[in-house]
Amino acid sequence: MSLARRASAEFAGTALLVAAVVGSGIAAARLSPGDVGLQLLENAFATALALGALILMFGPVSGAHLNPVVSAADWWLGRRAGAGLTVRELAAYAAAQVAGAVTGTVLADLMYGLPAVSWSHTDRIGGNLWLAEVVATAGLVVLVFALARSNRATATPAAVGAYIGAAYWFTSSTSFANPAVTIGRAFTDTFAGIAPASVPGFVAAQLVGGVLAVAALAAWYPQAGRSADAVVVPHLTEETALR
């Protein structure tokens, strides 16, 4: 499975994920005006379902990381076990994920007759929000590696979708938990948007969450790196395709 093929899957998967997040946010705001709670419920429900479906769709090709923090953890944990991403693959995945996220936002805006790009004015700044992103991201990374290491990867689409859907509600930040998605959502001034000035704080918090997740995995699943090729779900690499 060539790197170009896998990177294209990460691009398309992340684009569709962000299109689902932004598009459902726009729909929710139009269908339920004046009821923010219902809007969030609609947005969370659509995102959770879309995420599970996208993991099923793109997982066999690239693993369906759809998240630079997941990809970075995959490289870090798998490097000594000879599994997971290489540095070159990590760079390709991360670039494809960020480009896909921006593309997905533009696609959602155009589908709803909005300008392709309109910078968000929704400020999301504060220690409580950053803490929420640390928690959301750390939980997500531990979840996907725990499932892979315990040979329960078949449950990943449902489990990850459920986790993100729940984290919309139990975190004050509504669980972005993904640097690529965070960057992409800065390009839309709609329900799901985040002001560009708020992006660095969220991304920094997500990276901290990733580091904490790696530390937790070292304690709870010390051999998690051996299952890096099964994150988020088992997929073909150039090496395994030849076996």
Side-chain angles (χ1 to χ4, degrees):
M1 197 77 73
S2 70
L3 178 56
R5 186 175 177 183
R6 286 182 282 146
S8 70
E10 288 296 304
F11 171 87
T14 310
L16 289 172
L17 172 60
V18 177
V21 173
V22 174
S24 63
I26 297 171
R30 293 183 178 181
L31 294 171
S32 307
D35 191 336
V36 178
L38 183 56
Q39 291 171 12
L40 183 62
L41 177 61
E42 293 162 346
N43 189 209
F45 183 72
T47 299
L49 291 181
L51 182 54
L54 291 170
I55 291 172
L56 288 171
M57 186 186 304
F58 294 106
V61 181
S62 66
H65 293 188
L66 313 181
N67 187 330
V69 174
V70 172
S71 296
D74 188 70
W75 161 72
W76 180 261
L77 291 170
R79 72 196 194 286
R80 291 183 179 176
L85 300 178
T86 65
V87 173
R88 174 171 169 265
E89 291 168 332
L90 171 59
Y93 268 48
Q97 291 155 357
V98 172
V102 174
T103 301
T105 298
V106 171
L107 176 61
D109 283 343
L110 291 176
M111 286 194 295
Y112 281 92
L114 299 174
V117 174
S118 55
W119 298 110
S120 176
H121 291 86
T122 304
D123 292 320
R124 301 177 188 263
I125 296 176
N128 62 313
L129 299 180
W130 299 331
L131 175 60
E133 283 301 293
V134 171
V135 172
T137 308
L140 174 63
V141 174
V142 170
L143 172 63
V144 297
F145 277 90
L147 289 170
R149 183 57 187 153
S150 57
N151 297 316
R152 293 177 294 161
T154 54
T156 300
V160 171
Y163 176 83
I164 291 298
Y168 257 82
W169 288 91
F170 75 74
T171 64
S172 59
S173 63
T174 66
S175 183
F176 285 45
N178 186 326
V181 169
T182 303
I183 293 169
R185 288 169 65 169
F187 287 74
T188 182
D189 194 20
T190 60
F191 180 81
I194 178 173
S198 301
V199 168
F202 265 51
V203 171
Q206 291 154 2
L207 294 176
V208 170
V211 171
L212 290 178
V214 168
L217 288 164
W220 299 332
Y221 293 90
Q223 302 301 323
R226 294 183 180 180
S227 303
D229 286 336
V231 173
V232 171
V233 296
H235 53 287
L236 289 177
T237 65
E238 294 179 7
E239 292 76 17
T240 57
L242 297 173
R243 292 175 186 171

